[in-house]
């Protein structure tokens, strides 16, 4: 049936073209076309569906996109029949002196619009079948919740403000925490109980208040042994001696800058030295303390050092006057010092059993802590910020760890981003390294091997290996956070890129 | 029955519009809080309808809501508004992520035979216990709070806007303008409870992007 009608339309069209001689103006052609009722009818029915989208949304979908316009309603489209094609001077795309460019005009749409207007004037709306109209109405009601022509959508033009820049939806925690059930994977993982490797560390000073081990992002481990600083390249296994201090001095702390070969070394004299380890030479010596510098922390170009007298000094290593500020933070020796990964907060722990959190306001550092915690019963040395939640800090001091009694001294703490676990180094009686699940704080395993207390912990840049430095003059490497081979490609590298970006922006 | 007693039991058109506006205000505020669109520090709890509801303390947000809902209240009295839509869009891409429709029905317009004779003399006064209405509102707001459990996380900076669907002969007030209705492609709809003041009936529907 429809096939027959189509044939009839084609016949009509060809007949019409025969009667027209020479190029007639477009508007005349349109008039003639509208007089041809059958074309009108089919056009109307095929196009009526789109009428809603024309009136309701200004997206301007042209009818050309439609696949169903095979009825050839515009003369410009039809290649054989239109006279305008025969005379190239009149092609719609060429333009003339009145309308220089016709490329921007949508002829098919305008033609359709004219047709539609005429149809409405003629009042032949009745041409669409009642079922079709009913369907259109229902579609409109479904989409708009009512007949769109009877509704006015109004909004107040002074809009509500957007949330502050950098704000993150706090619900994210709610959604992400349930995604990885914390305890499910723990039991299945194999953790080697013996150390992967044991290195000799002769003359390592058995002093709880020092920080003598640091592992850089370029996989070089710096260890302060007595008066010497040694660099152990974990990739190649080569050992280099960086320097040796004078007879009575000893190294109190070492800290790598986040990026690059720069190592900060705190000494007994109260000086902080900066070493370029790629060229093995000293870059500068910064004073500021009158007693030994037992803890160091980097925050991009800011080096923060804590001394035996409880002072915290911020150095800007780029400037000639490197001293930014000095804070009398603790009553006794500062033994733990860590910047949060986003560089916003500094946590400092002291021998006075206090833990302070300081806020860094870009440019200047305030002299009052924003938080102080006095729950610790002994010196707070072990501090670690959670790598995946910016606002969580783990602190260990004396024999307490996050309100968990570990029954021994906590010397060092680290977070494992791979498994969302905390690893802690302990002293008497077992001298063990313990892995805890976070946030459930259930013990995963003990790694026993040291014969004296575990003073320091460091993690390899890939997060798989933990180095523990014991007072028994050994460094033990534990491969306790080995990644599953099939989930190795996960986002650990992406994460590190993001944090690097953050640091460079500041 | 004395006149005062009667007053206490009645609800006028004006009072109903005010109640509906209050519901909208606290509903919108609790959506903004529950969906984490603005930092939770900027919200303060206060008791309404027997519930602790977090309302924004941001001056700009409160003044925006007061202006818009004040206008809506006027239209409710004039029976000019069909629907109020809270639209949540991504700030950066302008994509509509979530849409809360509050549909208004004017109950006394459809005269049902039950109390049509009463309507003849008190055309704008209805009798429904205030406590029942408040209980119904409380249940809807509780449901809004509960939607957090199934709605997807809005993991980007989002802002909101309020669209009002009015009758076509409604005049546009100063600083208001006509806009387009919004759609969410491939959306999922959840109908919440409805409440009625016996003059206005309020349906709450949330639609969100199906992920």
């Amino acid at each position: 049936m429809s096939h027959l009608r189509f044939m009839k339309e084609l016949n009509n069209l060809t007949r019409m073209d025969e009667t027209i001689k020479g190029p007639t103006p477009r508007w005349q052609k349109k008039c003639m076309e509208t007089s041809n009722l059958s074309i009108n009818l089919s056009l109307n029915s095929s196009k009526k569906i789109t009428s809603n989208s024309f009136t309701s949304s200004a997206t301007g979908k042209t009818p050309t996109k439609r696949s169903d316009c095979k009825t050839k309603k515009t003369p410009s489209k039809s290649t054989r029949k239109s006279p305008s094609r025969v005379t190239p001077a009149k092609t719609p795309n060429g333009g003339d002196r009145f309308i220089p460019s016709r490329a921007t005009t949508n002829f098919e749409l305008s033609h359709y619009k004219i047709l539609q207007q005429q149809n409405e004037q003629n009042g032949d709306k009745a041409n669409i079948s009642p079922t079709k109209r009913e369907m259109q109405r229902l579609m409109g009601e479904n989409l708009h919740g009512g007949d769109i022509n009877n509704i006015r959508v109004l909004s107040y033009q002074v809009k509500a403000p957007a949330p502050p820049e950098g704000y993150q939806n706090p619900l994210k925690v709610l959604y992400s925490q349930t995604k990885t059930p914390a305890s499910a994977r723990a039991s299945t993982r194999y953790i080697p109980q013996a150390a992967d490797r044991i290195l000799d560390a002769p003359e390592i000073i058995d002093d709880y208040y020092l920080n003598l081990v640091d592992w850089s992002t370029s996989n070089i481990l710096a260890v302060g042994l007595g008066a010497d600083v040694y660099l152990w390249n974990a990739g190649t296994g080569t050992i280099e001696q960086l320097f040796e201090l004078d007879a009575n001095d000893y190294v109190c702390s070492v800290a790598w800058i986040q990026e690059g070969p720069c190592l900060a070394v705190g000494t007994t004299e109260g000086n902080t030295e900066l070493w370029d380890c790629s060229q093995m030479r000293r870059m500068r010596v910064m004073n500021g303390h009158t007693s030994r510098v037992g803890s160091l922390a980097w925050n991009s170009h800011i080096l923060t050092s804590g001394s035996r007298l409880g002072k915290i000094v911020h150095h800007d290593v780029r400037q000639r006057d490197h001293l930014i500020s000095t804070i009398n933070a603790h009553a006794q020796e500062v033994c733990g010092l860590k910047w949060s990964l986003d560089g916003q907060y500094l946590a400092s722990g002291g021998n006075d059993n206090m833990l302070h959190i300081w806020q860094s306001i870009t440019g200047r550092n305030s002299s009052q802590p924003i938080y102080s915690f006095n729950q610790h019963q002994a010196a707070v040395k072990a501090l670690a910020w959670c790598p995946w939640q910016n606002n969580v800090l783990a602190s260990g001091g004396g024999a307490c760890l996050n309100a968990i009694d570990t029954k021994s001294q906590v010397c060092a703490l680290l977070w494992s981003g791979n498994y969302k676990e905390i690893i802690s180094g302990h002293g008497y009686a077992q001298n063990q390294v313990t892995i805890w699940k976070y946030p459930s704080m259930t013990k995963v395993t003990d790694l026993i091997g040291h014969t004296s207390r575990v003073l320091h912990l460091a993690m390899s840049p890939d997060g798989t290996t933990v180095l523990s430095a014991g007072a028994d003059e050994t460094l033990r490497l534990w491969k306790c956070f080995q990644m599953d081979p099939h989930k190795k490609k996960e986002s650990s590298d992406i994460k590190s890129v993001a944090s690097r970006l953050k640091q460079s922006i500041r | 029955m004395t006149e005062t007693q009667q007053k206490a039991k009645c609800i006028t058109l004006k009072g109903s519009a005010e109640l509906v506006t209050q519901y909208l205000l606290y509903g919108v505020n609790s959506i903004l809080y529950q969906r984490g669109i603005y930092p939770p520090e900027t919200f303060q709890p206060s008791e309404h309808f027997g519930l602790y509801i977090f309302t924004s303390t941001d001056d700009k947000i409160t003044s925006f809501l007061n202006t818009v809902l004040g206008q809506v209240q006027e239209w409710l009295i004039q029976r000019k508004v069909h629907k109020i839509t809270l639209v949540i869009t991504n700030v950066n891409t302008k994509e509509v992520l979530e849409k809360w429709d509050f549909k208004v029905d004017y109950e006394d317009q459809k005269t049902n035979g039950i109390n049509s004779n009463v309507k003849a003399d008190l055309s704008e006064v209805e009798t429904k216990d205030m406590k029942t209405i408040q209980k119904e509102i409380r249940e809807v707001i509780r449901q809004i709070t509960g939607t957090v459990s199934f709605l997807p996380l809005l993991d980007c900076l989002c802002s909101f806007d309020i669209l009002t669907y009015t009758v076509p002969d409604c005049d546009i007030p100063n600083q208001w303008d006509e806009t387009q209705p919004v759609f969410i492609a491939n959306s999922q709809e959840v109908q919440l409870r409805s409440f009625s003041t016996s003059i206005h009936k309020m349906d709450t529907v949330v639609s969100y992007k199906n992920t």
Side-chain angles (χ1 to χ4, degrees):
Chain A
M1 183 64 193
S2 61
H3 167 72
L4 283 177
R5 204 160 82 183
F6 183 57
M7 287 303 291
K8 196 180 156 199
E9 280 170 26
L10 274 182
N11 278 338
N12 280 342
L13 277 169
T14 43
R15 199 150 33 83
M16 186 187 75
D17 271 354
E18 277 175 2
T19 57
I20 299 167
K21 292 280 182 271
T24 44
R26 290 179 63 81
W27 61 271
Q28 261 184 15
K29 274 188 289 178
K30 270 162 206 157
C31 279
M32 284 186 178
E33 266 182 26
T34 48
S35 69
N36 192 333
L37 195 79
S38 71
I39 296 179
N40 231 341
L41 227 165
S42 61
L43 233 184
N44 207 3
S45 56
S46 68
K47 284 297 148 207
K48 205 67 197 176
I49 288 169
T50 59
S51 74
N52 206 11
S53 69
F54 280 123
T55 48
S56 67
S57 68
T59 46
K61 270 226 173 92
T62 63
T64 32
K65 299 271 161 67
R66 295 288 168 150
S67 57
D68 57 352
C69 50
K70 53 176 175 256
T71 48
K72 303 250 165 65
K73 67 259 169 250
T74 53
S76 60
K77 259 284 179 183
S78 61
T79 46
R80 286 172 297 134
K81 284 152 274 172
S82 88
S84 56
R85 278 280 166 180
V86 184
T87 51
K90 289 282 179 180
T91 49
N93 297 330
D96 55 17
R97 63 189 169 128
F98 299 112
I99 304 168
S101 167
R102 286 175 187 269
T104 52
T105 320
N106 194 335
F107 286 102
E108 293 187 24
L109 179 63
S110 31
H111 176 221
Y112 166 67
K113 284 272 186 194
I114 290 170
L115 276 184
Q116 196 194 27
Q117 216 173 7
Q118 281 168 347
N119 281 345
E120 273 168 15
Q121 280 166 4
N122 295 344
D124 51 7
K125 262 198 167 173
N127 281 338
I128 4 164
S129 64
T131 48
K132 214 158 231 174
R133 222 173 338 153
E134 181 64 15
M135 203 186 92
Q136 278 173 26
R137 195 181 59 78
L138 284 177
M139 289 270 268
E141 272 180 22
N142 264 337
L143 284 172
H144 311 296
D147 195 353
I148 193 66
N149 297 322
N150 293 334
I151 280 180
R152 203 167 220 188
V153 186
L154 298 178
S155 74
Y156 189 47
Q157 287 313 101
V158 185
K159 301 292 182 201
E165 199 63 38
Y167 161 71
Q168 272 200 339
N169 197 334
L171 292 173
K172 203 172 175 173
V173 182
L174 199 87
Y175 282 81
S176 54
Q177 264 189 346
T178 48
K179 245 173 206 167
T180 46
S183 54
R185 203 168 289 125
S187 52
T188 58
R189 182 158 64 98
Y190 169 69
I191 302 170
Q193 289 296 306
D196 184 55
R197 235 177 133 162
I198 300 174
L199 303 173
D200 248 1
E203 289 178 64
I204 191 164
I205 298 166
D206 183 8
D207 191 332
Y208 180 78
Y209 303 106
L210 306 182
N211 293 282
L212 295 174
V213 169
D214 199 17
W215 205 329
S216 81
T217 48
S218 47
N219 214 9
I220 295 171
L221 182 80
V223 193
L225 300 177
D228 309 305
V229 171
Y230 286 94
L231 301 176
W232 178 66
N233 189 323
T236 58
T238 53
I239 298 172
E240 286 171 298
Q241 187 187 18
L242 189 64
F243 65 91
E244 189 174 353
L245 291 171
D246 293 336
N248 290 328
D249 290 352
Y250 54 91
V251 175
C252 301
S253 52
V254 290
W256 287 101
I257 197 167
Q258 288 100 328
E259 303 286 310
C262 189
L263 179 73
V265 181
T267 64
T268 34
E269 289 170 332
N271 289 337
T272 309
E273 302 184 356
L274 289 183
W275 286 78
D276 184 349
C277 295
S278 59
Q279 291 164 31
M280 310 293 278
R281 65 179 183 86
R282 189 162 68 184
M283 292 196 288
R284 72 184 292 182
V285 178
M286 297 185 294
N287 58 354
H289 290 289
T290 48
S291 56
R292 71 173 189 187
V293 179
S295 49
L296 290 168
W298 284 93
N299 179 17
S300 55
H301 56 266
I302 307 275
L303 174 64
T304 307
S305 58
S307 77
R308 187 167 214 166
L309 294 181
K311 274 187 186 168
I312 291 178
V313 174
H314 296 289
H315 308 269
D316 188 336
V317 297
R318 302 170 305 178
Q319 286 178 18
R320 187 181 165 80
D321 300 322
H322 56 83
L323 282 177
I324 302 175
S325 60
T326 307
I327 313 168
N328 280 319
H330 291 272
Q332 290 179 50
E333 176 155 22
V334 181
C335 50
L337 209 54
K338 281 277 160 63
W339 279 99
S340 67
L341 297 181
D342 58 358
Q344 292 286 314
Y345 303 104
L346 172 73
S348 72
N351 199 20
D352 54 354
N353 307 348
M354 293 294 284
L355 166 62
H356 293 307
I357 312 290
W358 312 83
Q359 189 164 24
S360 154
I361 306 142
T362 35
R364 64 191 187 83
N365 296 281
S366 56
S367 57
Q368 285 298 316
I370 53 169
Y371 298 113
S372 292
F373 302 98
N374 56 3
Q375 284 91 336
H376 282 291
Q377 301 297 310
V380 186
K381 182 197 173 189
L383 293 173
W385 290 92
C386 179
W388 63 91
Q389 263 177 294
N390 278 342
N391 46 2
V392 174
L393 171 79
S395 66
C400 226
L401 173 67
N402 194 5
I404 287 203
D405 193 355
T406 61
K407 300 205 165 46
S408 76
Q409 184 182 39
V410 179
C411 300
L413 267 178
L414 281 177
W415 290 84
S416 163
N418 294 356
Y419 287 98
K420 305 220 183 273
E421 286 168 344
I422 299 174
I423 184 162
S424 58
H426 297 276
Y428 184 79
Q430 284 199 295
N431 309 315
Q432 81 278 32
V433 175
T434 310
I435 300 171
W436 308 83
K437 207 74 213 158
Y438 178 82
S440 60
M441 291 314 290
T442 48
K443 191 197 270 188
V444 177
T445 189
D446 276 335
L447 303 172
I448 299 167
H450 282 287
T451 54
S452 183
R453 65 177 175 178
V454 180
L455 287 168
H456 316 289
L457 286 177
M459 190 179 276
S460 65
D462 60 356
T464 59
T465 312
V466 169
L467 175 129
S468 62
D472 54 355
E473 301 195 341
T474 57
L475 305 177
R476 285 166 202 256
L477 290 145
W478 311 87
K479 286 212 163 174
C480 48
F481 297 119
Q482 211 67 301
M483 289 298 278
D484 281 348
H486 57 267
K487 59 167 281 194
K488 211 167 199 169
K489 58 183 186 296
E490 264 194 19
S491 58
S492 61
D493 47 353
I494 297 164
K495 228 179 253 169
S496 68
V497 167
S499 69
R500 221 173 282 166
L501 251 181
K502 237 183 237 168
Q503 281 154 3
S504 66
I505 286 167
R506 284 182 66 257
Chain B
M1 201 187 274
T2 58
E3 211 178 48
T4 48
Q5 267 178 318
Q6 183 150 12
K7 238 180 198 168
K9 282 205 171 172
C10 293
I11 182 161
T12 58
L13 176 64
K14 246 186 179 167
S16 165
E18 197 181 318
L19 204 59
V20 170
T21 318
Q22 272 192 359
Y23 160 71
L24 287 173
L25 175 67
Y26 297 122
V28 167
N29 263 308
S30 70
I31 290 166
L32 295 181
Y33 174 77
Q34 296 293 347
R35 303 294 292 127
I37 293 165
Y38 291 98
E41 308 90 82
T42 63
F43 287 82
Q44 278 289 330
S46 54
E47 201 180 334
H48 303 280
F49 309 117
L51 273 178
Y52 274 98
I53 297 170
F54 282 85
T55 47
S56 179
T57 52
D58 190 315
D59 293 336
K60 281 183 184 158
I61 297 172
T62 45
S63 74
F64 172 80
L65 287 176
N66 287 339
T67 334
V68 172
L69 295 178
Q71 184 62 53
V72 166
Q73 187 176 347
E74 223 166 88
W75 280 328
L76 279 170
I77 295 170
Q78 297 165 2
R79 298 171 201 277
K80 280 188 172 168
V81 58
H82 296 302
K83 190 165 85 169
I84 298 105
T85 304
L86 170 71
V87 187
I88 297 172
T89 44
N90 185 334
V91 169
N92 299 320
T93 62
K94 304 284 175 218
E95 185 192 10
V96 179
L97 299 174
E98 209 172 288
K99 169 166 96 100
W100 292 76
D101 288 333
F102 303 97
K103 291 178 190 160
V104 188
D105 271 333
Y106 301 97
E107 293 222 316
D108 50 353
Q109 273 184 338
K110 330 168 197 163
T111 36
N112 38 2
I114 308 158
N115 52 358
S116 54
N117 51 345
V118 182
K119 217 160 271 163
D121 40 334
L122 329 146
S123 60
E124 292 197 338
V125 178
E126 287 286 337
T127 49
K128 184 167 181 183
D129 196 14
M130 193 68 182
K131 272 189 182 154
T132 345
I133 300 171
Q134 287 207 341
K135 187 170 160 277
E136 284 177 7
I137 294 180
R138 191 157 61 226
E139 275 164 6
V140 186
I141 290 184
R142 280 221 183 95
Q143 271 200 321
I144 291 175
T145 312
T147 53
V148 179
S149 56
F150 64 84
L151 289 177
L153 171 67
L154 299 170
D155 197 9
C156 55
L157 277 190
C158 291
S159 75
F160 77 100
D161 196 9
I162 293 177
L163 306 182
T164 45
Y165 292 66
T166 62
V167 291
D169 61 334
C170 176
D171 40 315
I172 303 174
N174 194 23
Q175 286 192 302
W176 286 63
D177 212 352
E178 236 175 308
T179 53
Q180 295 295 329
V182 293
F183 305 103
I184 303 175
N186 187 22
S187 70
Q188 186 88 27
E189 269 189 25
V190 176
Q191 166 102 43
L192 304 187
R193 275 169 198 265
S194 53
F195 75 90
S196 148
T197 64
S198 73
I199 294 174
H200 298 104
K201 184 168 176 286
M202 201 77 184
D203 282 313
T204 309
V205 180
V206 54
S207 31
Y208 56 94
K209 227 176 97 180
N210 218 352
T211 46

